[in-house]
Amino acid sequence: MRALRTAVAIALISLTVGCGGDASPPGESSTPVQPGQEPNWPNALSQFRFHWTSPPDIDLTAGPAVAVRAYLESYATASLTFDKNNVYPGFTEATPENSPQEGNYSYEHVAVRPLFWLRGNAPKTVPHYGYNTNHLLDLTIADGGYQATVCVGEYTQFVPSKLRPGKYISVGSSETKDGVAPFPGGPFAGISTWRITLNQSGPTPNGLPPQQKSQRGPLPAPATNVFGPWFIAGSSTMGWGPSLDPASKAFPSADLQRRCADSMPDNEAERLDIMTGFKDQPSPPGDAEPGWPQAAS
């Protein structure tokens, strides 16, 4: 059951119980885009965006970081809408089929793609509001490719309350008739830690050249395949390595989770406040950052 949490970390939050603002901060990526006209972007997420940050030495708009962005955004959009078709172009070619969760399986191979079979009958898709802060904490050379650590702040993502019509709650929380509180609690509530490995030697290399154009723009999703030559070899939010090895359960460590928490734009008290109580309005989505260009790349 521990490994199953890896597969449904994002999908489950859409079952908990944001009408978002129209804030659109000016900037180099700000160009009017008609709502509902964004390619490869589900209607249920029309008032939701991804905000990415990184250390100064990591360029989010070029190289393997682009594939990391496209992978995690695809995983989220498909999971939040319970529709495996709501992934970005090239996702299927850039990911392996999930390995069976049998025997001495590896945590990082059982949920590289969202596990939609876990949900049984599809729940009703609800709109999501606000934004996620995805921080690319590190990107290092490993095993002939790269290993990325990404911190995902989900606490500013909202859905309509099931108990109080017209109110909203953070997806990092649970609601009862007595109120809304983070679930689970603690200093890392509302934040998940991902490890992703990628290389250029997958079983079906797509042969695409590296991106030549900076992947920055006004769109919330790319208009074309931006995975380039990169293949996602492994991915997990909990556990890494053979399941029968006790050491594999050490990921993510408390220290790594703390680093992720410290990378968020809001401190612990601010995050807990966002996740506590029914809200009259969710966080405004703002622009996708760095977003994706409109022209083909």
Side-chain angles (χ1 to χ4, degrees):
M1 294 301 296
R2 183 182 177 91
L4 293 183
R5 293 174 61 187
T6 299
V8 297
I10 296 180
L12 286 179
I13 60 178
S14 63
L15 292 178
T16 64
V17 205
C19 188
D22 295 323
S24 182
E28 62 179 310
S29 66
S30 297
T31 300
V33 179
Q34 293 299 319
Q37 300 299 312
E38 307 94 340
N40 305 312
W41 192 246
N43 288 334
L45 304 183
S46 63
Q47 289 297 314
F48 173 79
R49 293 294 185 266
F50 294 107
H51 298 178
W52 283 85
T53 60
S54 67
D57 60 338
I58 298 179
D59 184 358
L60 289 168
T61 69
V66 171
V68 172
R69 285 172 53 203
Y71 169 71
L72 272 185
E73 292 187 13
S74 291
Y75 202 112
T77 55
S79 297
L80 296 178
T81 58
F82 298 100
D83 188 342
K84 64 183 180 181
N85 295 314
N86 284 337
V87 293
Y88 296 169
F91 178 87
T92 301
E93 293 77 15
T95 56
E97 292 189 11
N98 296 324
S99 296
Q101 194 173 7
E102 302 170 351
N104 192 25
Y105 61 86
S106 293
Y107 287 105
E108 66 270 26
H109 295 153
V110 296
V112 182
R113 295 178 182 175
L115 292 180
F116 293 96
W117 56 267
L118 288 175
R119 61 183 167 84
N121 294 326
K124 181 180 179 181
T125 298
V126 299
H128 287 250
Y129 303 89
Y131 59 92
N132 279 0
T133 294
N134 292 359
H135 181 73
L136 184 47
L137 186 67
D138 56 47
L139 183 64
T140 58
I141 295 175
D143 299 326
Y146 286 87
Q147 177 175 285
T149 303
V150 182
C151 311
V152 178
E154 299 153 344
Y155 57 93
T156 47
Q157 180 185 159
F158 288 82
V159 289
S161 166
K162 292 181 178 179
L163 300 180
R164 295 192 184 181
K167 301 291 185 179
Y168 304 86
I169 72 166
S170 166
V171 297
S173 305
S174 61
E175 64 176 349
T176 68
K177 63 180 181 180
D178 298 320
V180 178
F183 181 82
F188 312 133
I191 303 171
S192 58
T193 303
W194 290 74
R195 177 180 290 171
I196 300 163
T197 56
L198 61 164
N199 57 48
Q200 299 186 51
S201 59
T204 56
N206 56 35
L208 295 175
Q211 293 293 335
Q212 300 299 316
K213 180 177 180 178
S214 174
Q215 292 300 302
R216 175 185 295 276
L219 294 179
T224 59
N225 186 344
V226 296
F227 284 93
W230 299 105
F231 185 82
I232 308 300
S235 172
S236 179
T237 62
M238 184 171 293
W240 194 273
S243 59
L244 297 183
D245 182 354
S248 297
K249 299 180 181 180
F251 174 80
S253 66
D255 178 68
L256 184 56
Q257 292 180 81
R258 169 58 61 189
R259 291 176 61 199
C260 273
D262 290 343
S263 75
M264 293 293 109
D266 306 289
N267 63 35
E268 181 181 341
E270 291 168 334
R271 296 194 300 269
L272 293 177
D273 181 66
I274 291 170
M275 291 186 285
T276 301
F278 295 96
K279 308 298 182 183
D280 293 329
Q281 292 291 334
S283 299
D287 285 342
E289 178 56 41
W292 302 94
Q294 295 192 73
S297 302

